[in-house]
Amino acid sequence: MLDRELAAMDALGKIEEDVQAVKLLNERLGKAPLWQPGPVLAKQAAHALELIGRLQARMDRRLVVTLIGPSGAGKSTLLNALAGVDDLSPTGTRRPTTQSLVVLSNDPAAARQLLGPMDDNLIQLRSSPKAELLTHVVLVDTPDTDSTERERHLPLIEQAVEHSDLLICVFDAQNPKRRDHADFMAPIVRRFHGASLVAVVNQCDRLSPEELSEVVGPDFDAYLQEAWDVRPEAVLMVSARQHLQHPRWDPQAGPRHDLDQFDQLRRLVFETFNRAGFGPDRRLANARQIKTYLFEQVDQAVARDRASLEQAAERITVVEQEALRQAVTSLRREDLRMVLGVNARLYQSLAQRWMGPVGWLVAIWSRIILFGTGLAALIRFGNPLRQIWGLISSWRHYRESRAAIGSLDDQTRIDQALQTFQKVWWTHWPDIAELLVQGRFDPEVRRVDVDQDKAVGDLVRGLWRDSLDAEIERSAASLSHFLLQLLFNLPSLALLAYIGWLTASHFWAGTYLSTDFFLHALLTLATVLLLSFFIYQLCLRLAVSRDRIQRRAFRAMEQRVDDSPLLAGREMTDQVARVLALAKK
């Protein structure tokens, strides 16, 4: 008992890993609602969790071994032979012979507990002397998979299978490859690990030994692998009727030979399956198989749509980047106010970087650009009317300057760029939508309103603002280099130092310089300073032509388009990426 409990605890811990993997898959399926196979696969995932949950719930209980097969295959006869009682499960020519589940167990309570909440009228509990040997196993016989009462029996068969840990699939040796039975069994057996499946070809006594060993056996083994996509633990040739107490052979139809693997089947049931600790191992393997089967279904679904979806995602990226490039191009137009705005922004940046006498003139010039020459009238003593006019002039010039700076971020230009983007995008969207539909996305994607106008507009504005700011700062940095400032400030500083030296030396010598000296010195200093500033402005104009900063900003903006996040097609590409990520790498 202790060994079985320890095995059950170990298996429960390992199964929990499979449960979490299936739950994660289910969550990921829910994140791609437009992919049509998603809801179907999500239902399969939910069903897989239910099946694994049942395995967890009965981990420390007996192993359920279920016989399943078509009409005439001899399931009931096989169960009777294993039980050693000829009439344990009804047999005969009347179809269907088995109307309910026939359960062989030495503990009725254990059998009911394992088979779940089923109607007592649907379960016939049986026991026998040999059943007393089944201390860890419950044997179950099911109705025919192709009976005339199929509609009533199928739910019963499916419920029995869902509570089973191991299947004994019974076939008629005279027609083992019945297509309807193979098709019915295929989705069932794929939920079971190969070691949890045993294929029994019954009534092998009706065929010759040569035909069994050379034709039927090898052909049937290959057929099962192809039809089920899983290899059973064993494929056994059995004559169950030979092992009844009273076989009652037809005088003209007795067994044709003694080739029979019934003893091997009996050892599997009463020794291998009936071993303590075998149940948890089978349930763990079956849980892994359920998970594997589910993931294979997902892989197959994704593989079918992969080419179309990858092409759609690539097209979305290419088209959006092309639309963004054309939107950026539409921003490029001649605008005098933009030139004035860039010039004002440049001098504001230079004023923060320059030092020394030339730096003072740069700062003054940046204010004149912003406020105009009327600013001087405000600080000049004299006619009050002239001061008032200077105030008005400065206010008007300030408005014009701010308008010029504001033109760098003009909403009208952004709207025009947005219209260009939309035109390109909607021109190519029908082709993209067809690729998505081919990848089994909801056909409604043809009419999806990809409403990202604000986001696209913000992106264009952000790209332009960042590119322009970066180019203005780069130009200001290159035009404010330390050596450049030293070069243009040096004449004024040298002259100022020379005037100061002359003044100080004469003062200490007791000789006072005349007013004319200081007047001429001031005029000379102003001339040198203005000349230095004029030469600097000339160099600045040569280095930064009329629209050179704008052109560089546009080029930088175009280069950044490829690195921009998707906006108009982001939702679709996200869902496509989620679908493609569902498949195992």
Side-chain angles (χ1 to χ4, degrees):
M1 179 65 74
L2 181 60
D3 291 343
R4 188 174 70 182
E5 291 177 350
L6 291 175
M9 289 177 59
D10 182 60
L12 280 172
K14 293 177 180 178
I15 284 181
E16 188 60 30
E17 298 177 6
D18 300 324
V19 170
Q20 296 305 318
V22 174
K23 285 183 178 179
L24 179 60
L25 175 64
N26 203 8
E27 292 177 3
R28 292 164 63 193
L29 285 167
K31 294 180 180 179
L34 291 174
W35 190 47
Q36 292 178 319
V40 177
L41 293 169
K43 289 181 180 179
Q44 291 185 20
H47 186 52
L49 288 172
E50 183 181 351
L51 293 176
I52 297 176
R54 290 174 183 170
L55 292 172
Q56 288 178 301
R58 63 177 191 269
M59 186 57 69
D60 59 345
R61 300 173 187 172
R62 297 191 180 194
L63 190 76
V64 178
V65 180
T66 299
L67 282 72
I68 186 171
S71 175
K75 300 185 305 300
S76 299
T77 302
L78 184 60
L79 180 63
N80 292 342
L82 290 169
V85 179
D86 287 5
D87 58 354
L88 182 77
S89 184
T91 62
T93 58
R94 179 177 174 271
R95 302 295 181 218
T97 54
T98 304
Q99 301 282 344
S100 58
L101 299 181
V102 179
V103 180
L104 178 64
S105 174
N106 67 352
D107 185 354
R112 291 187 182 279
Q113 191 179 40
L114 287 172
L115 293 175
M118 299 182 67
D119 190 339
D120 288 345
N121 295 326
L122 301 177
I123 300 177
Q124 299 180 31
L125 296 176
R126 297 288 188 269
S127 185
S128 71
K130 288 191 176 181
E132 295 302 319
L133 301 175
L134 297 176
T135 56
H136 302 292
V137 169
V138 173
L139 272 175
V140 181
D141 184 19
T142 59
D144 300 332
T145 58
D146 58 349
S147 73
T148 56
E149 299 183 27
R150 180 184 177 89
E151 295 299 323
R152 184 169 66 88
H153 288 163
L154 279 183
L156 189 62
I157 296 171
E158 290 173 357
Q159 189 166 359
V161 168
E162 288 181 355
H163 287 84
S164 300
D165 304 305
L166 194 145
L167 293 184
I168 297 178
C169 306
V170 185
F171 298 83
D172 183 356
Q174 299 178 84
N175 186 18
K177 296 194 299 182
R178 283 181 50 183
R179 190 75 227 177
D180 59 337
H181 183 47
D183 291 343
F184 175 80
M185 291 292 295
I188 293 177
V189 299
R190 286 171 186 157
R191 297 186 231 154
F192 290 81
H193 189 272
S196 301
L197 298 170
V198 175
V200 172
V201 181
N202 194 21
Q203 305 179 36
C204 68
D205 54 88
R206 313 314 303 158
L207 304 175
S208 68
E210 295 78 12
E211 187 177 4
L212 283 172
S213 59
E214 297 177 8
V215 179
V216 175
D219 189 41
F220 181 64
D221 187 54
Y223 169 76
L224 279 187
Q225 292 187 51
E226 180 180 355
W228 288 1
D229 199 27
V230 59
R231 186 181 184 87
E233 174 70 11
V235 178
L236 303 176
M237 300 295 171
V238 169
S239 176
R241 192 171 183 181
Q242 292 191 60
H243 299 275
L244 296 177
Q245 301 296 321
H246 305 287
R248 293 181 296 207
W249 297 104
D250 189 316
Q252 298 179 350
R256 299 175 60 181
H257 54 79
D258 293 329
L259 177 61
D260 185 11
Q261 295 176 302
F262 180 81
D263 288 340
Q264 185 176 341
L265 176 63
R266 182 161 48 195
R267 286 194 299 271
L268 279 174
V269 174
F270 287 90
E271 296 177 16
T272 303
F273 302 160
N274 197 38
R275 190 175 68 247
F278 188 79
D281 289 343
R282 285 299 91 228
R283 286 165 184 143
L284 174 59
N286 290 340
R288 292 280 165 86
Q289 178 60 27
I290 291 171
K291 184 198 74 171
T292 300
Y293 176 69
L294 173 63
F295 275 79
E296 286 175 352
Q297 294 294 103
V298 173
D299 287 349
Q300 291 172 11
V302 174
R304 174 180 168 183
D305 302 329
R306 179 177 293 278
S308 297
L309 294 181
E310 286 181 342
Q311 189 176 356
E314 182 180 357
R315 287 284 296 157
I316 288 174
T317 302
V318 170
V319 169
E320 181 155 336
Q321 289 178 349
E322 177 60 26
L324 201 54
R325 287 191 189 93
Q326 294 197 27
V328 169
T329 301
S330 69
L331 290 173
R332 302 184 65 168
R333 66 184 186 190
E334 290 295 329
D335 190 337
L336 180 59
R337 288 198 308 168
M338 180 183 290
V339 175
L340 295 176
V342 170
N343 192 42
R345 287 276 307 279
L346 177 61
Y347 270 98
Q348 288 175 2
S349 182
L350 289 172
Q352 296 175 0
R353 296 172 180 271
W354 268 82
M355 297 180 296
V358 175
W360 302 336
L361 290 183
V362 170
I364 293 171
W365 189 254
S366 68
R367 294 298 180 270
I368 291 176
I369 291 176
L370 190 61
F371 293 99
T373 56
L375 183 64
L378 291 176
I379 60 176
R380 184 171 59 237
F381 292 104
N383 192 334
L385 293 177
R386 182 171 295 179
Q387 288 183 311
I388 294 174
W389 175 251
L391 175 64
I392 297 173
S393 176
S394 296
W395 177 73
R396 289 176 59 186
H397 194 88
Y398 175 77
R399 287 187 57 188
E400 293 175 358
S401 299
R402 298 308 301 176
I405 295 175
S407 69
L408 302 179
D409 200 20
D410 186 14
Q411 182 60 43
T412 302
R413 299 172 67 247
I414 299 299
D415 290 342
Q416 180 181 348
L418 182 58
Q419 291 175 3
T420 303
F421 179 93
Q422 290 174 329
K423 181 179 179 181
V424 177
W425 175 257
W426 289 114
T427 299
H428 292 87
W429 178 251
D431 294 336
I432 296 173
E434 288 307 312
L435 289 171
L436 291 170
V437 172
Q438 290 176 23
R440 289 189 290 176
F441 266 51
D442 193 312
E444 287 296 318
V445 298
R446 296 189 179 103
R447 295 185 291 275
V448 168
D449 182 15
V450 187
D451 187 12
Q452 292 289 343
D453 289 357
K454 183 179 184 303
V456 173
D458 290 343
L459 175 62
V460 173
R461 182 184 291 106
L463 285 174
W464 167 239
R465 183 187 296 121
D466 293 345
S467 300
L468 183 61
D469 289 348
E471 185 56 34
I472 288 175
E473 290 301 315
R474 192 190 70 80
S475 299
S478 64
L479 292 170
S480 304
H481 193 275
F482 172 75
L483 293 178
L484 197 64
Q485 292 194 43
L486 181 62
L487 175 65
F488 283 95
N489 278 314
L490 189 58
S492 301
L493 292 174
L495 182 59
L496 186 62
Y498 177 68
I499 295 172
W501 178 77
L502 287 178
T503 303
S505 61
H506 281 77
F507 176 78
W508 292 112
T511 304
Y512 297 98
L513 298 174
S514 66
T515 303
D516 289 342
F517 170 80
F518 288 104
L519 179 61
H520 284 87
L522 180 61
L523 291 174
T524 303
L525 182 61
T527 302
V528 170
L529 181 59
L530 289 174
L531 183 61
S532 298
F533 180 65
F534 173 77
I535 296 173
Y536 172 73
Q537 279 197 314
L538 181 62
C539 295
L540 187 149
R541 293 298 179 185
L542 293 175
V544 182
S545 60
R546 176 184 177 88
D547 62 347
R548 188 171 183 178
I549 292 179
Q550 295 96 298
R551 285 188 281 109
R552 286 181 175 176
F554 278 122
R555 282 199 297 271
M557 188 178 178
E558 290 170 348
Q559 292 172 359
R560 294 177 60 189
V561 165
D562 292 343
D563 298 327
S564 300
L566 292 178
L567 295 175
R570 180 174 58 193
E571 180 182 353
M572 292 301 168
T573 51
D574 285 350
Q575 291 203 35
V576 168
R578 293 186 188 116
V579 170
L580 297 178
L582 291 171
K584 291 183 296 187
K585 301 301 182 183

